[in-house]
Amino acid sequence: MKQSLKSSSSLIWPLAGLGLLLLFNAVFNPSFFSISIVDGNLYGNLIDIFRNGSITMILALGMCLVIATGGVDLSVGTIMAITGAVVAIIYQSDPDTSLFVALLVALGVAGVAGALNGALVAYARIQPIIATLILMVTGRGIASFITGEKQIAVENDAFGYLGTGHLIALPFSMVLVFLLYGLMVLGVRKTPVALFIEATGDNEDAAHFSGVNSKMIKLLVYLVCGLFAGLAGLVETSNIANSDPSQLGIYRELDAIFAVVVGGTALSGGRFSLIGAIIGALLLQTLTTTLYSYGVDSALSPIPKAVLIVTVCLLRSDRFRKQFTSLYARKNVA
Amino acid sequence: MPDPLLSMRGISKAFPGVQALSEANLTLYRGEVHALMGENGAGKSTLIKTLTGVHQRDAGEVLFEGKPIKPAAPLEAEGLGISTVFQEVNLIPHLSVAENISLGRQRSRFGFMQWKEIRERAERALKRFDVEIDVTQEVCSYSVAIQQMVAIARAVDIDAKLLVLDEPTSSLDENEVEELFAVMRKLCAQGMGIVFITHFLDQVYSITDRITVLRNGQSIGEYETAKLPRIELISHMLGKPVDQLADTGSDGLSRSEAASQGEAWLEAKDLSKEGVMSSFDFEIRKGEAAGLAGLLGSGRTETAKLLFGILKSDTGETSMAGNSVGNPKSPRQAIARKIGFCSEDRKREGIIPNLSVRENIVLALQARKGFINTISRQEQNRIADKFIKRLRIKTPSRETPIRTLSGGNQQKALLARWLATDPDLIILDEPTRGIDIGARDEIEELIRELQKEGMAVLLISSELEEIERLCERVWVLRDRQFVGELSDEEISEKAIMSLIAHSDEMEGSDEAES
């Protein structure tokens, strides 16, 4: 009980940011909250936030585990591009390929990419930033090579359902996020894996001396992160019905890292919060959607995004809060 | 006597919760090598750090060449002529030798580096030690010994008058040590004073002129090396007057019947690791309490790490219950063989600081059970509560982060981590260091209980009484070697100390080894 209270207290700041944004919209743009039903499916800004944010949420779930071990995976955006390219070439060669086969092959490639990252970090002991930077850079070349250096349209109804379909009135990608989150809670939080990840990230030597197979754990988290990135790439490709190896998933790794850090998982590793990663991603997407609804040029949106991230990170820092409040107190005295 | 080069008088320094130094003294003359000796926590490094400006002293005075000084930073101390070379070579591995030597004081003209001058200066500096190497090569391409020389060359390049060498020899082999000593003698002949910190007694006796012993932050005394027998040096370091030592163990502890009979539960033959431990044999029976005694740096912890698979042995053979099983390749394998190892370095190798007491306690057990076989939350709570109660761990709750607990309670929680795995052998490396008396008694009591329950206990401790009180068999280590074995009544502080002190040219060791 106490545990859940404590971990939720670290979520106060991103939740406060989210609440503030929603409040802002409630006051200045009440139509922001309107939800309409078209053909039995729900539409509206709130639904859009989940649907458009699903890519970042899926990436953040995988990234969260990697960051908890004290690492980082810069290659997730590129892995998205690779799976997009793989699935595009599969449907191009045979438009009637079953969805199951297409997904299996594409995710298999993503899993191999993730495992490669993991092996470089865990067994070759290359620093995570460098190890994943290798794939981040070369992977785009691989993706371009797969598609023959051009964009490929992906038009297959079964595959299109991933990014544009609806399930029980909700966008399928939103349902997918819920499913993945549930899977992570069951597969990681409810098993010893979470303990091993947190122990490895918090004090790797001590974990190793206690018999934790830290190398295996690291390999595993990069593998999972790669798989989730692959899934995110498929959802995105399906959504835009097109695979562009030079653009698909570009800069997505940064959004994912922001979401995880804003959600209360320290880059230094240790304790992690899956729900925090989801909330962090929601916060980013809510801001983007809010700006969009006010007609702010999308080229300018990174600026308020940066302000938001810095603010939440500063609020999270005990030291900053203390200095800030003491400054405030001193002013009042004077 | 001439005027001393350095005179430190009544130096005190407190850190939050610890009085690291109280009224410590150190006097150094020109042209002498002066050993600064003491066990862990004696205050050696704090004394050096107040001298070199890393820390500011709370009280006391320092006279350098007769003038009072109080350097505020290492750079200021360097400017005065006080240089330090630390144990880990403080060079930048991928810069050239020349660059390293002149780093921070490079000559430049109009903002351009004067490479030729820098190179010549480095060559000159090294020539003082008869070291002739290509100074344009990267530092990391040379052996540790050469790197050490470069570090010293860098230190004395700035007209140093006083050189502090903090364990410079711990990674050098015998020949390299000799080379280093030759350099030290040369520097002394030029009038430099050298403070030498080392754990190796042989080196103290072969190079130093005088010795200052520190214990618990206080100066115990200043001695001329040639006039101080080794056993007395050790007794000063450990705080045991030689004449007050009983010859036999006070409790008359003798090996329990079960322990003295039957075959060894774990037997290791000819384990060794190059540069870490010389070959040794080890065996332990169930229900036996054995000890490893020796000074800091004698190889006690390394022995434990070889037995536990943290360090991999180059040679030898491990067998359990008479069957050869191969040397442990990892802690995981050792744990699977029902061995536990409680490290002396609680902070770096023990606690997982931000995880709860419960998670810290169940970690090793869960790691042994693997990924699939989950210990349920209820079971975890039960295990944690059981040990919190049994070991009287003072914690607000089982969910409190372990880093917020006191040292003694962290130690108990780590013991609980290993007891939860129900080991057959538990290795305890300095289990009572840095914890209060009450917790210490409780841990000793616990060790006795575990032994009665049939667990084998291997105790590593600097506290000789602790070894004497608890152990039925003791191996004594010196300079990374097993130098003797004592059992039952033979175990006494004096016998252990004379084994530690023993060297080839000394007599009186026969009785201890027989």
Side-chain angles (χ1 to χ4, degrees):
Chain A
M1 193 60 217
K2 250 181 192 158
Q3 170 75 27
S4 62
L5 262 174
K6 226 188 132 341
S7 64
S8 66
S9 77
S10 69
L11 296 179
I12 282 178
W13 300 108
L15 277 174
L18 193 59
L20 223 64
L21 261 179
L22 293 176
L23 193 70
F24 176 84
N25 282 313
V27 173
F28 295 100
N29 185 11
S31 68
F32 191 82
F33 292 92
S34 67
I35 288 178
S36 56
I37 302 175
V38 179
D39 298 337
N41 295 324
L42 300 174
Y43 287 92
N45 279 326
L46 292 184
I47 301 297
D48 277 352
I49 289 173
F50 271 98
R51 201 186 58 195
N52 296 334
S54 61
I55 301 288
T56 309
M57 286 188 241
I58 295 170
L59 293 177
L61 282 175
M63 186 70 77
C64 186
L65 301 188
V66 170
I67 289 182
T69 63
V72 71
D73 187 348
L74 297 181
S75 69
V76 290
T78 300
I79 294 180
M80 286 176 71
I82 295 177
T83 45
V86 168
V87 86
I89 207 76
I90 290 174
Y91 281 121
Q92 194 186 43
S93 62
D94 178 8
D96 298 325
T97 311
S98 79
L99 183 63
F100 178 76
V101 171
L103 293 189
L104 197 72
V105 173
L107 289 181
V109 172
V112 169
L116 211 66
N117 281 333
L120 287 180
V121 172
Y123 294 92
R125 289 171 179 271
I126 299 177
Q127 283 167 331
I129 286 190
I130 302 301
T132 58
L133 194 64
I134 297 170
L135 187 61
M136 178 187 178
V137 176
T138 56
R140 282 209 181 268
I142 296 171
S144 295
F145 177 76
I146 294 174
T147 64
E149 289 157 59
K150 58 181 188 283
Q151 300 184 29
I152 297 179
V154 185
E155 282 154 347
N156 176 292
D157 287 345
F159 181 69
Y161 180 80
L162 279 183
T164 58
H166 283 76
L167 188 70
I168 37 174
L170 294 171
F172 177 74
S173 57
M174 182 172 168
V175 178
L176 183 66
V177 169
F178 291 148
L179 281 175
L180 291 176
Y181 175 72
L183 203 70
M184 289 283 262
V185 169
L186 283 180
V188 177
R189 267 289 167 221
K190 298 289 175 198
T191 65
V193 176
L195 175 66
F196 296 159
I197 290 175
E198 290 182 335
T200 300
D202 205 15
N203 187 344
E204 189 172 346
D205 280 343
H208 175 59
F209 291 179
S210 300
V212 175
N213 194 343
S214 301
K215 285 181 180 164
M216 178 86 88
I217 285 289
K218 284 187 176 173
L219 185 69
L220 187 77
V221 295
Y222 285 93
L223 174 67
V224 169
C225 191
L227 281 175
F228 276 42
L231 210 48
L234 293 178
V235 172
E236 180 89 329
T237 307
S238 158
N239 193 23
I240 55 182
N242 183 34
S243 170
D244 178 356
S246 65
Q247 286 305 313
L248 183 62
I250 204 149
Y251 298 139
R252 283 291 192 175
E253 60 282 341
L254 301 182
D255 282 350
I257 295 168
F258 285 147
V260 170
V261 172
V262 165
T265 304
L267 273 177
S268 51
R271 282 265 187 245
F272 67 89
S273 168
L274 291 170
I275 191 72
I278 295 283
I279 292 172
L282 271 180
L283 181 59
L284 285 180
Q285 189 59 46
T286 306
L287 183 70
T288 309
T289 306
T290 303
L291 292 170
Y292 181 73
S293 73
Y294 280 89
V296 177
D297 190 336
S298 66
L300 297 179
S301 73
I303 300 171
K305 225 174 179 175
V307 173
L308 173 90
I309 289 161
V310 169
T311 312
V312 173
C313 289
L314 284 178
L315 284 175
R316 295 189 54 85
S317 147
D318 292 336
R319 192 146 144 220
F320 176 80
R321 279 209 309 278
K322 221 174 276 168
Q323 277 174 354
F324 189 77
T325 46
S326 74
L327 199 73
Y328 187 71
R330 220 177 298 146
K331 263 189 190 154
N332 276 2
V333 170
Chain B
M1 272 275 178
D3 284 342
L5 173 67
L6 171 77
S7 160
M8 300 179 82
R9 288 277 156 265
I11 309 294
S12 294
K13 174 76 193 173
F15 295 108
V18 224
Q19 185 72 35
L21 283 177
S22 47
E23 313 235 322
N25 303 321
L26 176 66
T27 309
L28 180 73
Y29 293 94
R30 287 182 181 80
E32 80 164 331
V33 181
H34 193 112
L36 189 55
M37 304 289 293
E39 283 286 273
N40 225 338
K44 288 172 299 185
S45 55
T46 311
L47 186 65
I48 293 309
K49 282 176 179 165
T50 58
L51 171 66
T52 55
V54 178
H55 296 320
Q56 303 305 306
R57 58 185 186 265
D58 297 338
E61 65 163 2
V62 179
L63 295 178
F64 185 64
E65 300 190 291
K67 290 187 284 284
I69 59 162
K70 192 163 189 177
L75 215 60
E76 195 184 329
E78 270 192 20
L80 292 166
I82 300 173
S83 280
T84 315
V85 175
F86 292 100
Q87 179 176 9
E88 283 93 30
V89 182
N90 259 5
L91 298 171
I92 301 167
H94 291 288
L95 290 188
S96 74
V97 171
E99 283 168 309
N100 265 290
I101 288 181
S102 54
L103 194 70
R105 38 183 189 253
Q106 57 283 70
R107 301 279 157 80
S108 60
R109 194 170 298 151
F110 311 121
F112 294 102
M113 301 280 284
Q114 301 298 301
W115 286 114
K116 190 156 174 271
E117 201 180 320
I118 287 172
R119 267 202 307 278
E120 285 170 0
R121 187 168 156 192
E123 275 161 9
R124 252 197 329 273
L126 284 167
K127 209 158 213 161
R128 275 174 88 176
F129 314 135
D130 299 323
V131 176
E132 287 191 34
I133 55 174
D134 180 358
V135 295
T136 61
Q137 291 293 308
E138 287 183 5
V139 157
C140 59
S141 62
Y142 291 106
S143 71
V144 179
I146 295 287
Q147 291 184 27
Q148 196 72 255
M149 301 289 180
V150 173
I152 295 173
R154 172 181 157 73
V156 302
D157 185 40
I158 41 150
D159 303 319
K161 295 160 188 142
L162 191 165
L163 181 63
V164 180
L165 297 174
D166 189 351
E167 292 196 44
T169 55
S170 42
S171 47
L172 304 185
D173 69 29
E174 235 166 274
N175 291 331
E176 292 169 333
V177 168
E178 267 318 309
E179 277 175 50
L180 178 69
F181 283 179
V183 169
M184 286 166 68
R185 288 192 189 99
K186 209 163 205 169
L187 291 172
C188 283
Q190 293 166 6
M192 191 179 285
I194 296 180
V195 177
F196 183 53
I197 301 176
T198 184
H199 293 307
F200 297 103
L201 289 184
D202 285 342
Q203 296 178 2
V204 169
Y205 278 90
S206 70
I207 184 90
T208 68
D209 303 299
R210 292 189 312 134
I211 300 173
T212 289
V213 177
L214 294 180
R215 179 165 20 99
N216 297 330
Q218 290 171 319
S219 297
I220 300 307
E222 237 179 62
Y223 313 92
E224 279 183 46
T225 308
K227 291 182 185 160
L228 181 70
R230 284 176 188 231
I231 190 146
E232 277 184 35
L233 170 60
I234 294 161
S235 89
H236 290 312
M237 288 167 66
L238 299 177
K240 303 277 161 201
V242 178
D243 46 12
Q244 285 177 23
L245 289 175
D247 267 325
T248 54
S250 47
D251 312 25
L253 202 66
S254 65
R255 217 177 296 184
S256 49
E257 214 155 281
S260 53
Q261 291 168 0
E263 60 186 353
W265 178 77
L266 177 81
E267 193 174 7
K269 275 212 179 338
D270 185 34
L271 289 193
S272 75
K273 184 168 178 67
E274 176 140 22
V276 177
M277 270 304 287
S278 310
S279 165
F280 65 90
D281 297 338
F282 174 86
E283 59 164 15
I284 198 161
R285 294 174 177 79
K286 280 201 161 186
E288 182 178 36
L292 295 178
L295 296 175
L296 191 73
S298 59
R300 303 170 308 187
T301 299
E302 288 74 8
T303 305
K305 287 187 171 175
L306 280 166
L307 292 172
F308 191 62
I310 292 171
L311 296 173
K312 281 170 216 149
S313 177
D314 297 335
T315 59
E317 181 65 59
T318 302
S319 46
M320 297 179 72
N323 302 316
S324 170
V325 290
N327 298 325
K329 290 191 212 52
S330 67
R332 214 147 31 88
Q333 197 176 34
I335 292 167
R337 293 174 182 176
K338 304 201 88 176
I339 301 176
F341 169 61
C342 214
S343 166
E344 66 174 332
D345 194 342
R346 265 199 300 277
K347 217 174 183 162
R348 281 191 36 227
E349 300 178 349
I351 61 168
I352 313 284
N354 293 304
L355 297 198
S356 68
V357 173
R358 165 183 59 85
E359 287 166 303
N360 270 282
I361 290 177
V362 302
L363 182 62
L365 180 61
Q366 182 64 72
R368 191 173 70 194
K369 284 177 178 269
F371 291 74
I372 310 298
N373 198 345
T374 315
I375 307 173
S376 73
R377 186 57 180 267
Q378 280 157 323
E379 181 65 9
Q380 291 186 23
N381 291 348
R382 197 189 62 73
I383 293 171
D385 286 344
K386 182 178 104 185
F387 284 107
I388 288 172
K389 200 163 155 234
R390 179 173 176 193
L391 304 185
R392 286 191 284 276
I393 301 172
K394 286 196 199 73
T395 171
S397 89
R398 67 172 106 87
E399 301 304 334
T400 309
I402 196 170
R403 73 185 139 79
T404 62
L405 269 53
S406 74
N409 285 302
Q410 288 181 3
Q411 183 67 47
K412 287 181 185 174
L414 292 178
L415 271 168
R417 175 188 293 170
W418 293 111
L419 297 184
T421 66
D422 188 26
D424 287 331
L425 164 64
I426 187 162
I427 305 173
L428 303 172
D429 193 353
E430 297 279 11
T432 60
R433 180 194 293 160
I435 66 179
D436 60 79
I437 302 273
R440 169 178 305 215
D441 289 345
E442 286 174 16
I443 285 174
E444 284 195 12
E445 192 49 46
L446 179 74
I447 293 172
R448 287 208 182 85
E449 265 175 50
L450 295 174
Q451 191 198 345
K452 270 196 205 106
E453 291 167 17
M455 202 179 284
V457 179
L458 178 61
L459 176 69
I460 299 174
S461 177
S462 299
E463 308 270 339
L464 296 186
E465 321 91 301
E466 197 168 271
I467 297 249
E468 185 189 322
R469 271 200 303 276
L470 292 168
C471 299
E472 302 152 339
R473 177 146 56 149
V474 178
W475 283 276
V476 180
L477 285 79
R478 186 198 339 117
D479 295 351
R480 318 249 154 143
Q481 282 174 28
F482 275 48
V483 293
E485 184 184 333
L486 302 166
S487 54
D488 302 327
E489 312 74 66
E490 293 166 0
I491 300 171
S492 69
E493 292 180 40
K494 187 171 185 180
I496 294 173
M497 285 197 348
S498 49
L499 274 173
I500 295 174
H502 164 79
S503 79
D504 296 340
E505 60 287 1
M506 276 185 71
E507 304 170 355
S509 60
D510 293 345
E511 48 179 310
E513 272 175 343
S514 62

